[in-house]
Structures are given as structure tokens and as C-alpha cells.
Amino acid sequence: CVLRAAYFNGEVAETGYLTGMKLREEYRRRVDCIRGAYRMIREETESCRLYTTTILDGNEAAIRLLEKKRAGMPVYHYWGHYTVFCCTAGGKTTLPPGYRMAKGHPETEAFYRKQLPHLQLAPLWGSLYGLTGQDYLALCDEKGEIVAAWAIGNQQAYKQYTVTRYEGMLRCLQWLPTKLFGYPAVPREGVPANYASLAMVLVRSDRLSLGKAFLQAALSCGGEYDFILAGFHES
């Protein structure tokens, strides 16, 4: 259970993200031990206002187990789909006339502090591990005001993705120059992927029409990576 302060209904609240939940196969039908695990988590995190988790679409067993109401088990409320996109990094982008990108903009912190309280479960400014003010980029309009901002986070020092084996036609992809055709580079077998993640993606609500240009600009800044991961909730 990862504890993190976040905005909930406009106020700062402590939340818990349930992750890395594994159960040995021979114990999966013994729901009593699962109840005990949840009870322990709750006792150790009494200050939490709410808990969240993500379940892979293909993990039907976990979905059936957790979303069905059971005595002594927490009630799971489905909040919708969360999709992680694997995006091509680098390339050229064309911004709308009058707009420009700026790295380490002096008003970035003020922009986030004003916008984040309006978003459910948004993290507090400065709370994400490994990110500094210089990791953030801003999209500014003709007046110099920030209309969107994001950070490119390199988590490779503590979080790696390694393909252990490709099968069938996919085995050929790792040797092809896929980036020349507009697709992400394919990691080699057994070698950690050279990737980064888009973090704290935020577009001002009155400029949502800039979303496509904004994302293209964000991805163009990561040319040194094979691909960039970007996760978005459906709403």
C-alpha cells in the first residue's frame, strides 16, 4: 500500500494505492487469508481517506474476486478504464501560431498549485519522486501564460521493463528500424527498455482543443528514448 497525499473533492487527503498484490496459487481459494491481509493493511493505514488500485483487463479471476461484495472484504467501486499508451518519442511538431514551449518556466509551480485541486486524486506539486522543476515543460500562449504543462520522468534507475522473449513474427521486429516508420523502437530481448514516462500531464480546461498539439509537443521532447509511456483515465 503506497501512501500519498492527493486532492480529493478539492481537499488534501491521504490516499493509499494498493499494488503488487500477489497470492500463491494453492491459497487462492482460501478467502480467509485475503480478509486478514486487507485487515492488516487497514490497521496500518488508518489515516487513509480512500484506496485505489488498477487491475489488468485480462485478470478476470482478480476482477471476479474483488468486485463481488463479500463479508469482511472491502467494497470495490469501478471507476473506469485506465489506459497506458506506448508512444513514439522525438520527431518534429508544429505548434499553433504564437505558442511556444519553455523548460523550467518560473510560473510552473503556480500553474500546478492553481489547477491540481480541481482534479480528483491529483498528486500535490513536488510530491512525485525523482522529478525536479527542471524536468517540467510548459506550453505558453501569445501572452506568455501557461496553458499546459508536463514532465518527462526517467524511472529506469528503479523501474525497468525487460522483454524476456519474442515469439513468431515479433522476433524480427527488434532488428527493424521501426522509428523510421513512425512506430516506437522495439527493445531487444533481455535488455532493459530505454523509456520514459509522461507525468503530471495537465491542460487548462479552457484550452482543451490544444490537446493533440500539446501531446505531440510533449512527445517530441523525448527523442533520446525508444518510447514514452503515457497513462490516461477515460474521463
Side-chain angles (χ1 to χ4, degrees):
C1 183
V2 180
L3 302 181
R4 186 181 72 180
Y7 289 105
F8 180 62
N9 293 338
E11 299 179 352
V12 176
E14 186 164 73
T15 66
Y17 178 65
L18 303 179
T19 182
M21 301 174 72
K22 307 295 181 187
L23 190 63
R24 285 172 55 173
E25 190 170 357
E26 62 266 33
Y27 286 89
R28 289 180 184 173
R29 295 189 179 277
R30 294 176 56 181
V31 183
D32 54 335
C33 69
I34 301 177
R35 291 191 181 99
Y38 278 110
R39 186 165 55 250
M40 181 184 69
I41 291 174
R42 181 58 184 161
E43 290 172 352
E44 296 293 331
T45 59
E46 291 185 351
S47 60
C48 274
R49 181 85 171 269
L50 58 86
Y51 302 84
T52 59
T53 193
T54 51
I55 306 173
L56 293 174
D57 278 343
N59 195 351
E60 295 295 334
I63 293 174
R64 288 195 300 269
L65 172 67
L66 298 177
E67 292 190 0
K68 183 178 180 179
K69 292 184 179 180
R70 302 174 187 271
M73 288 275 285
V75 178
Y76 274 68
H77 298 280
Y78 176 71
W79 269 22
H81 260 74
Y82 180 84
T83 304
V84 178
F85 298 89
C86 182
C87 308
T88 304
K92 295 182 179 180
T93 184
T94 302
L95 295 174
Y99 287 82
R100 63 179 179 85
M101 286 192 295
K103 186 174 184 179
H105 193 288
E107 297 298 323
T108 301
E109 180 177 348
F111 172 75
Y112 277 105
R113 290 190 181 278
K114 180 179 180 180
Q115 302 292 332
L116 290 175
H118 303 290
L119 303 173
Q120 292 287 39
L121 298 183
L124 277 63
W125 165 260
S127 67
L128 294 189
Y129 178 77
L131 291 180
T132 67
Q134 289 302 310
D135 295 314
Y136 287 85
L137 292 100
L139 185 64
C140 304
D141 64 9
E142 307 92 330
K143 300 178 181 178
E145 295 182 355
I146 298 177
V147 298
W150 70 96
I152 296 180
N154 185 338
Q155 299 174 302
Q156 294 181 50
Y158 52 91
K159 187 176 184 180
Q160 299 86 36
Y161 294 100
T162 303
V163 177
T164 57
R165 185 177 71 238
Y166 290 103
E167 294 184 350
M169 293 292 293
L170 293 177
R171 299 188 66 180
C172 302
L173 286 179
Q174 61 182 317
W175 307 106
L176 296 177
T178 51
K179 291 190 79 171
L180 295 179
F181 303 101
Y183 294 97
V186 179
R188 302 284 179 86
E189 287 183 344
V191 179
N194 179 26
Y195 81 102
S197 300
L198 281 188
M200 298 287 276
V201 178
L202 202 159
V203 184
R204 221 168 66 185
S205 59
D206 61 336
R207 302 295 180 92
L208 290 179
S209 59
L210 292 170
K212 183 177 180 179
F214 159 72
L215 285 173
Q216 289 175 337
L219 295 172
S220 71
C221 298
E224 68 268 35
Y225 301 105
D226 293 336
F227 60 87
I228 290 181
L229 299 178
F232 297 97
H233 188 269
E234 64 183 1
S235 65

